[in-house]
Amino acid sequence: MYSSDQTQRLQKLSGSLFSGGAPLTGDILLKKAGGIEALRDVLRFHEYRYQILNDPLLSDFEYDSLYKQLEAIEAAHPEWVTEDSPTQRVAKGLTKDFPTVQHLVPMLSLENSYNADDLLDWDRKARELTGLAEPEYCVEPKFDGASISLIYENDRLLRGVTRGDGVAGDEITNNIRQIRSVPLSAKFSAYGIRQIEIRGEILMNKNNFAKYNQQLAEQNIPPLANPRNAAAGSLRIKDPSEVGRRNLEAFLYHISYYALLEGKSLPKELETHAGSLKLLWELGFRSPQKEKKVLQGIQAVIAYCQLFEAKRDELPYEIDGMVVKVNDIGLQDKMGMTTHHPRWAIAFKFKARQATSVLRKVEFQVGRTGSVTPVAKIDPVPISGVSVSSVSLFNEEVVREKDLKIGDTVLVERAGDVIPYIVKPLTELRTGKEEEIRFPTHCPVCHDKLVKPEEEAVWRCVNINCPAQVVERIIHFASKDAMDIRSFGDANTRKFFDLGYLKDIPGIYHLPFDKIRELEGFGEKSVTNLRTAIEASKQQPLHRLIFALGIRYVGETTAKVLAASVDHLFDFKEYSLEKLQDLEDVGPKVAGSVYQFFHNPDNVHMLEKLASLGLILQSNRSSQPAGGNLDGQTFLFTGTLTRLKRSDAEEIVEKNGGALLSGVSSKLNYLVVGEDAGSKLEKAKKIPSIKILTEEEFMSLLNI
Ligand code: IVH
């Protein structure tokens, strides 16, 4: 897409648009960039580096501040705005409905194969139909998302459409424009193309899916079953700005139709499938250009499919198989299609991550907020290498909606590293002996009466001293994303709790080690490890402590916002509901919950105990650079430091959540330069996104 000359030019130009870390503004910025379209090109380039190559050259902050400058310029000169300006992804208003539109070419599906024998059969037919002894095949991943078609006309994205029934689908252009890996314009004209229809798949990657489900969980909304459903559901949201927040991605893998500009002839890239993928890649689309392989002979195809199946879990997104396509488009036309699928392609489906089992009973677990969750106990079944015997049913509504009964044969799915769930009962296998699932009226642990707040779907035990809740709160406090007390863990916490060694959170810090030492399975070494881990957790920064407290609706992100807005945790005792709501992303629900927490004398008392035990309740916000802390920032030291020991400086970075890199690359945020710095400094100067700091600047950045 960008030659190395172009990359260098744009990189250098980007650097010249900043002064002292801030972007230039207004006319000066435009002049330096070479006009508004040139400024847009700079932003498009960085969008591409981030979205398509996954190798950004600007920090998020720098990109955002430059983007804001373009926005300001366009606001002052609305007549300069173009439809494909990077600012025009911003959603305006809500969609009323999605009109139905015809696809230029019907969207067929693919024939499936499940093993090597199926592929051998298909290869035999392909050789017959092509008349070739060994046709060339292009093999690529089968992306597990929601399929779409995009139409570009005169280099501009004209519309995006869902698959629908294959003949016509829903026009969802405004939603598609929110997906930053879909270019709003692309130079198809350079290949003589006037109009083109491209097929692809919209995905939510595993990481974003997990985050999204966590957000749902924090709001007590049932999680989505898998990233495919998440992507498909997201495409049909009426609020495009919400679509933007879902962080969807697009892979484009097929050109189904094109019309050439007058007097132009077929570009040679479109003679093969691999060429089409390359053309799309060159024009800034994310196509499986790197993942695809052109192979000869079905044995090589089978081997490549198996190779991908083996590393399926390592990919950042879900794939459910591979697609094998005859590479030569002329041969594809010769082979033609049935009414359902093309003869020139076949899907090789990976082993299903579904299995059937029998639902034996339902247990009710009490969580740390008192929510009572039904958990299905099923006959153990292996699904993608893991034995599944326990599946959360989330809440009563889910059980009723799925019409589950004890004794049902159920279909269970586990998508990748996603938690297993019950897809549905196989009602046709019912014998009449199945039993209703009965929900308890009283807490299974403390036997208090359960309540169900009107606006919620879950039953709750509201006895704050219910042992089940207390132990879950301690487990959460010590967990990896909270205080990260390694070797404490679920099982140990429960054991200490049951033995009466541990009654509440402060109790973690005065465990009776003399007694623990006597327990079976506790050697001197494990006791020392446990002690060290507990002691070390006292140094955790405030945002971790806030998250660890398990305040309802306060996830990791909110905890960071809260930590960054006070000097001391007890400042929240004085915060009004209004003041809390003034904080970023804090709505009435979160504010109410935080307010309640800090106005409960028991909680304040517990925090006082923690403070006296040496935990940090002060915020270190003033000692950190803009944005809170060094989380996600990368550092490298070069030359001789004169005031700090190199190892101490590195430790400071890590303690503040930063990471150390061993070399200069576009992934580096800060190069700290001591005396006699050499080649690393020279190299870093060529990458505008790297901030170069003296030792003094580094120290003042961290308030040392
Ligand atoms: S080619 C006319 N390639 O799988 C041929 N499809 O189960 C069009 N899919 O409807 C399809 N990855 O939504 C093709 N690399 C890939 C694919 C792919 C995912 C989807 C597509 C198709 C479905 C069939």
Side-chain angles (χ1 to χ4, degrees):
M1 169 78 181
Y2 293 94
S3 66
S4 61
D5 279 0
Q6 283 170 316
T7 303
Q8 282 211 338
R9 184 184 69 77
L10 283 159
Q11 212 167 310
K12 211 163 142 207
L13 180 57
S14 309
S16 72
L17 302 181
F18 288 87
S19 165
L24 304 173
T25 56
D27 288 346
I28 307 174
L29 173 62
L30 281 184
K31 187 147 178 263
K32 206 59 194 208
I36 190 157
E37 195 50 30
L39 176 59
R40 287 185 189 123
D41 277 340
V42 170
L43 283 160
R44 287 187 189 113
F45 167 69
H46 290 294
E47 209 172 44
Y48 174 81
R49 295 290 312 193
Y50 185 90
Q51 298 291 333
I52 309 289
L53 298 188
N54 202 4
D55 184 17
L57 293 173
L58 284 189
S59 67
D60 289 359
F61 174 75
E62 286 163 325
Y63 176 86
D64 289 344
S65 51
L66 203 54
Y67 177 95
K68 283 193 185 121
Q69 290 309 320
L70 174 62
E71 249 180 353
I73 295 168
E74 288 182 343
H77 297 277
E79 71 281 9
W80 290 353
V81 178
T82 56
E83 215 182 278
D84 63 342
S85 169
T87 59
Q88 296 307 297
R89 290 194 190 274
V90 174
K92 293 184 206 86
L94 297 183
T95 312
K96 281 207 182 56
D97 52 13
F98 302 112
T100 306
V101 289
Q102 293 263 322
H103 296 299
L104 297 185
V105 174
M107 284 175 86
L108 298 181
S109 81
L110 293 170
E111 186 185 351
N112 285 331
S113 69
Y114 297 92
N115 51 45
D117 281 349
D118 292 348
L119 279 182
L120 288 170
D121 284 346
W122 177 79
D123 169 59
R124 201 169 305 120
K125 274 183 269 166
R127 283 186 282 126
E128 249 168 54
L129 289 168
T130 57
L132 294 181
E134 225 169 48
E136 220 171 50
Y137 297 133
C138 185
V139 189
E140 69 204 30
K142 184 171 183 309
F143 303 100
D144 196 9
S147 56
I148 44 132
S149 105
L150 303 178
I151 296 181
Y152 285 77
E153 222 171 77
N154 300 319
D155 293 347
R156 293 272 172 94
L157 171 64
L158 183 70
R159 63 180 199 229
V161 188
T162 63
R163 180 174 189 279
D165 63 3
V167 176
D170 291 340
E171 207 239 81
I172 50 159
T173 316
N174 283 336
N175 286 351
I176 293 292
R177 289 176 73 93
Q178 305 308 313
I179 302 170
R180 298 218 278 166
S181 48
V182 174
L184 298 178
S185 58
K187 268 250 163 277
F188 286 107
S189 56
Y191 291 89
I193 297 168
R194 184 182 62 78
Q195 191 196 32
I196 188 161
E197 186 183 52
I198 314 164
R199 298 270 151 91
E201 210 81 359
I202 303 294
L203 315 169
M204 185 183 281
N205 75 30
K206 293 175 189 170
N207 203 0
N208 285 326
F209 176 71
K211 277 195 204 148
Y212 180 62
N213 259 351
Q214 198 185 338
Q215 281 169 20
L216 292 183
E218 276 166 25
Q219 301 170 50
N220 256 317
I221 302 174
L224 294 174
N226 53 45
R228 179 188 349 112
N229 292 3
S234 300
L235 285 183
R236 300 184 48 82
I237 294 176
K238 296 276 167 89
D239 176 3
S241 60
E242 175 57 24
V243 181
R245 282 193 285 275
R246 300 269 174 108
N247 291 316
L248 301 171
E249 295 171 28
F251 266 103
L252 283 309
Y253 46 68
H254 180 65
I255 294 175
S256 48
Y257 174 85
Y258 55 84
L260 298 175
L261 286 160
E262 233 178 74
K264 297 287 180 185
S265 51
L266 176 79
K268 67 169 182 1
E269 284 81 0
L270 295 189
E271 289 170 10
T272 62
H273 175 68
S276 315
L277 296 181
K278 180 156 182 280
L279 181 147
L280 290 172
W281 180 260
E282 287 291 323
L283 288 176
F285 291 85
R286 218 167 148 200
S287 73
Q289 165 71 6
K290 304 221 168 88
E291 295 79 2
K292 65 111 204 341
K293 205 160 194 150
V294 176
L295 296 165
Q296 228 146 0
I298 197 68
Q299 290 306 341
V301 169
I302 293 168
Y304 194 57
C305 290
Q306 287 165 345
L307 181 83
F308 251 84
E309 180 157 15
K311 63 175 190 183
R312 156 188 206 189
D313 285 338
E314 290 161 31
L315 298 175
Y317 45 81
E318 285 286 341
I319 65 175
D320 61 339
M322 301 295 283
V323 185
V324 187
K325 300 172 179 176
V326 169
N327 194 29
D328 186 304
I329 308 279
L331 288 177
Q332 288 186 1
D333 292 343
K334 188 172 166 190
M335 294 171 79
M337 48 191 70
T338 71
T339 46
H340 301 293
H341 46 74
R343 290 197 187 90
W344 45 263
I346 189 157
F348 174 83
K349 298 273 279 191
F350 292 159
K351 268 174 227 64
R353 287 172 147 164
Q354 288 189 335
T356 55
S357 179
V358 178
L359 172 54
R360 295 292 173 196
K361 63 175 178 177
V362 174
E363 287 181 359
F364 294 88
Q365 286 179 1
V366 186
R368 103 184 119 82
T369 59
S371 57
V372 177
T373 308
V375 178
K377 298 286 164 182
I378 58 172
D379 288 345
V381 273
I383 312 181
S384 56
V386 173
S387 171
V388 179
S389 58
S390 216
V391 186
S392 173
L393 297 173
F394 206 71
N395 63 37
E396 190 175 5
E397 238 165 71
V398 172
V399 174
R400 302 276 170 253
E401 249 166 45
K402 292 200 166 142
D403 181 30
L404 284 172
K405 290 189 165 58
I406 310 273
D408 265 338
T409 302
V410 288
L411 185 62
V412 187
E413 181 172 313
R414 182 176 161 267
D417 34 19
V418 177
I419 44 168
Y421 77 109
I422 292 190
V423 184
K424 57 174 184 186
L426 303 179
T427 46
E428 58 280 14
L429 298 181
R430 282 192 178 152
T431 59
K433 287 196 184 134
E434 295 74 20
E435 284 170 31
E436 289 294 327
I437 297 170
R438 259 196 289 280
F439 274 73
T441 53
H442 291 77
C443 172
V445 180
C446 74
H447 310 294
D448 261 25
K449 202 166 164 37
L450 297 179
V451 297
K452 187 162 152 183
E454 219 168 86
E455 72 284 8
E456 287 190 17
V458 285
W459 285 94
R460 266 177 209 291
C461 166
V462 289
N463 169 14
I464 186 101
N465 296 318
C466 168
Q469 289 180 51
V470 177
V471 77
E472 292 299 332
R473 282 202 293 270
I474 301 175
I475 290 172
H476 171 75
F477 186 88
S479 66
K480 186 163 170 290
D481 294 332
M483 298 302 270
D484 194 18
I485 310 184
R486 308 251 164 110
S487 66
F488 204 53
D490 251 54
N492 281 343
T493 310
R494 286 184 206 287
K495 189 183 270 170
F496 300 157
F497 188 83
D498 290 344
L499 289 167
Y501 297 172
L502 179 60
K503 290 194 172 65
D504 54 14
I505 288 172
I508 297 175
Y509 297 95
H510 29 71
L511 281 172
F513 285 108
D514 47 337
K515 289 187 187 151
I516 291 174
R517 204 172 272 119
E518 306 301 315
L519 294 177
E520 214 187 293
F522 278 88
E524 202 44 49
K525 188 143 183 258
S526 56
V527 169
T528 313
N529 285 347
L530 188 56
R531 247 191 156 133
T532 323
I534 291 173
E535 203 50 36
S537 75
K538 292 182 177 172
Q539 297 307 315
Q540 290 289 16
L542 182 61
H543 68 88
R544 277 187 175 263
L545 175 63
I546 296 179
F547 175 62
L549 294 174
I551 307 170
R552 261 183 99 188
Y553 309 122
V554 177
E556 280 175 275
T557 318
T558 311
K560 281 187 185 156
V561 172
L562 293 175
S565 52
V566 287
D567 290 318
H568 191 281
L569 189 57
F570 283 153
D571 294 356
F572 283 123
K573 288 200 287 186
E574 316 302 329
Y575 266 51
S576 66
L577 278 170
E578 291 72 32
K579 199 166 170 192
L580 283 165
Q581 282 190 62
D582 282 345
L583 302 176
E584 204 182 309
D585 283 335
V586 175
K589 231 160 75 173
V590 179
S593 170
V594 175
Y595 184 87
Q596 259 185 13
F597 187 91
F598 286 98
H599 283 80
N600 178 332
D602 288 345
N603 292 337
V604 174
H605 184 59
M606 171 185 69
L607 288 172
E608 279 164 353
K609 271 197 205 161
L610 291 179
S612 70
L613 287 162
L615 276 80
I616 300 176
L617 272 65
Q618 285 88 3
S619 171
N620 50 358
R621 64 174 172 161
S622 52
S623 64
Q624 291 174 346
N629 50 37
L630 299 184
D631 262 3
Q633 300 287 316
T634 54
F635 283 76
L636 174 65
F637 295 87
T638 184
T640 316
L641 301 184
T642 51
R643 302 185 45 192
L644 292 167
K645 247 171 71 186
R646 167 89 65 109
S647 58
D648 287 346
E650 290 178 340
E651 202 182 312
I652 291 169
V653 167
E654 287 189 319
K655 271 211 168 126
N656 283 282
L660 297 162
L661 294 189
S662 55
V664 175
S665 76
S666 59
K667 297 205 168 61
L668 183 66
N669 300 117
Y670 293 95
L671 181 75
V672 183
V673 184
E675 276 175 8
D676 298 317
S679 63
K680 284 190 177 131
L681 176 59
E682 288 320 305
K683 201 169 164 200
K685 279 185 184 162
K686 296 199 186 101
I687 304 181
S689 59
I690 300 179
K691 291 177 206 69
I692 298 171
L693 302 178
T694 61
E695 194 178 352
E696 275 72 20
E697 285 171 325
F698 170 71
M699 289 170 70
S700 68
L701 182 76
L702 283 138
N703 246 2
I704 305 169

